[in-house]
Amino acid sequence: MPAKRTKQQDALRAAQMYYLQDQTMDAIARELRTSRSTVSRLLSTARETGLVQIQIKTPSDRAPELERLIRLRYGVEVHVVPISDELNEVEVLERVSMQAARTIGPLVDSNAVVGVAWGSTVSTVSRHLTRKVTHGTTIVQLNGAGNTQTSGIAYASEIIRRFGTAYGAKVEQFPVPAFFDHAETKTAMWHERSVRRILDLQDRMTIAIFGVGSIDAEIPSHVYTGGYLDAADIEGLEASGVAGDVATVFFRSDGSDDGIALNARSSGPRLSSLRKVRRRICVVSGQRKIKGLRGALAAGLATDLILDEITARELVAQHGHAPDAIGGFFNGLDKIQGLDDMPGHRTHSGGG
């Protein structure tokens, strides 16, 4: 008698028959001697555990027009998440994070060093990650999370742990403050061997995953609400013309970061170091983050961008265009570039 099959074996077998052999669920049920509803559950298990990873690939000449325009203007690979005006900011974040998690999975390979910056967006992404078996992969925390109110360990470590669990990877936390009280303290700490070990690991990153912080977003970035900055810090950022941050390192709308005093006390990686990472995945949800996003793109911080449709439309709009005028902007592009004849083109209207 054959040994009793496990649920995972059945899920793998059902997935192979369904996705690779084009068998119907009824046919699979007969072969596995089970019910059609059980086959449906097995296929769901295969997707949820990472046995199956679904990707939608669009030929470049049929790419959605928003993605094409952003790719041309900013030189990044881009994934625009379709949404409707009826969704609130929390629902938009969930949709963006779910697609980001599905997009990130295939990019994480064995022997990778994946840097992860904590934050509201990345935290939501981490809850939607699907399992993928890797070997020799390490997840490293990009910036410290301690502040004057809490150690920050519980918040940041949970995010890092989810990434480690999803990819079967080793996890390396960074147990230092998000911001030091004095730049001299940071300089001294950066010479400690225990800290140096994490910094050296960050220097070997093959992938970096981060969101864009913004002080006026509908869902405020955790760095601005979690007790990390006091009134003097906020005033200093405003005086320096700061537009946003990545991994608690701040920059202006033009991408510059020189002369921003708080960066000297930040535990996040220097922007020049981040730009050296081969793949840099930026996830953004909510059009109130547009200033920070433009600054991050101007700084060359992202190679891959995942964002919602409304923010994408705002991003490609010319400076000075209000959101309700974006439709006219696209219509003008259609006339100039003859886009109406392109396969897959759709008319964009303001606000949708």
Side-chain angles (χ1 to χ4, degrees):
M1 292 290 291
K4 184 178 181 180
R5 297 190 307 264
T6 66
K7 182 179 179 180
Q8 186 177 41
Q9 289 172 328
D10 278 348
L12 177 59
R13 190 170 178 179
Q16 290 171 326
M17 294 175 68
Y18 187 77
Y19 292 105
L20 301 181
Q21 301 171 21
D22 289 332
Q23 297 294 309
T24 66
M25 284 196 281
D26 288 330
I28 298 170
R30 287 195 297 272
E31 182 162 333
L32 296 183
R33 298 181 180 179
T34 188
S35 67
R36 191 177 189 279
S37 60
T38 297
V39 172
S40 179
R41 287 193 294 271
L42 289 172
L43 293 174
S44 295
T45 297
R47 292 192 296 270
E48 292 167 0
T49 59
L51 289 175
V52 171
Q53 295 183 353
I54 298 174
Q55 292 179 271
I56 300 176
K57 291 187 176 293
T58 307
S60 58
D61 62 343
R62 292 176 179 264
E65 193 57 22
L66 277 171
E67 295 181 355
R68 191 185 76 85
L69 290 170
I70 294 171
R71 188 180 298 114
L72 285 174
R73 180 171 296 184
Y74 296 102
V76 296
E77 287 301 315
V78 60
H79 303 269
V80 174
V81 181
I83 62 168
S84 69
D85 285 337
E86 286 70 33
L87 298 180
N88 61 40
E89 289 293 326
V90 173
E91 292 169 326
V92 172
L93 176 58
E94 286 292 323
R95 296 277 186 93
V96 171
S97 297
M98 187 175 295
Q99 183 159 331
R102 303 299 188 271
T103 302
I104 289 169
L107 302 179
V108 178
D109 295 319
S110 292
N111 302 312
V113 178
V114 182
V116 175
W118 54 262
S120 302
T121 301
V122 176
S123 177
T124 309
V125 172
S126 72
R127 292 198 294 270
H128 292 288
L129 296 171
T130 54
R131 301 259 180 140
K132 177 181 181 180
V133 177
T134 67
H135 304 282
T137 294
T138 301
I139 309 295
V140 60
Q141 184 177 328
L142 278 185
N143 48 328
N147 59 56
T148 58
Q149 298 180 20
T150 73
S151 68
I153 292 175
Y155 177 76
S157 64
E158 180 63 16
I159 297 171
I160 304 302
R161 183 196 63 78
R162 291 183 190 130
F163 275 89
T165 299
Y167 304 127
K170 179 182 178 182
V171 168
E172 293 284 2
Q173 297 180 16
F174 197 18
V176 298
F179 301 100
F180 290 89
D181 288 338
H182 307 283
E184 297 80 7
T185 307
K186 171 186 170 180
T187 300
M189 283 289 291
W190 260 221
H191 287 92
E192 291 291 327
R193 286 180 295 171
S194 59
V195 174
R196 189 72 251 165
R197 184 178 67 85
I198 302 300
L199 297 176
D200 290 343
L201 191 58
Q202 291 177 1
D203 286 341
R204 295 190 279 114
M205 273 189 294
T206 53
I207 300 177
I209 300 170
F210 52 86
V212 173
S214 177
I215 195 169
D216 58 353
E218 289 289 335
I219 301 177
S221 303
H222 191 71
V223 68
Y224 301 105
T225 62
Y228 291 92
L229 304 173
D230 58 27
D233 292 330
I234 297 293
E235 290 176 6
L237 294 177
E238 292 176 347
S240 296
V242 164
D245 78 278
V246 163
T248 59
V249 177
F250 301 91
F251 47 81
R252 303 179 183 86
S253 296
D254 62 1
S256 65
D257 64 319
D258 54 294
I260 300 176
L262 195 55
N263 285 345
R265 299 193 281 117
S266 171
S267 60
R270 293 192 301 271
L271 301 187
S272 58
S273 298
L274 189 58
R275 281 190 286 265
K276 295 177 183 178
V277 181
R278 180 169 54 84
R279 194 137 207 175
R280 309 180 298 277
I281 303 170
C282 178
V283 186
V284 175
S285 172
Q287 65 185 114
R288 293 282 291 275
K289 290 191 174 183
I290 191 66
K291 286 175 59 179
L293 174 56
R294 282 197 173 115
L297 292 173
L301 301 183
T303 60
D304 297 73
L305 175 62
I306 304 165
L307 75 169
D308 65 272
E309 182 179 1
I310 294 177
T311 304
R313 294 174 65 180
E314 182 75 12
L315 182 61
V316 301
Q318 294 175 333
H319 291 293
H321 278 267
D324 60 356
I326 296 176
F329 172 68
F330 276 99
N331 291 337
L333 284 176
D334 289 348
K335 294 177 181 178
I336 294 171
Q337 301 175 6
L339 301 178
D340 286 325
D341 296 328
M342 288 186 64
H345 174 65
R346 53 176 286 212
T347 301
H348 295 261
S349 60

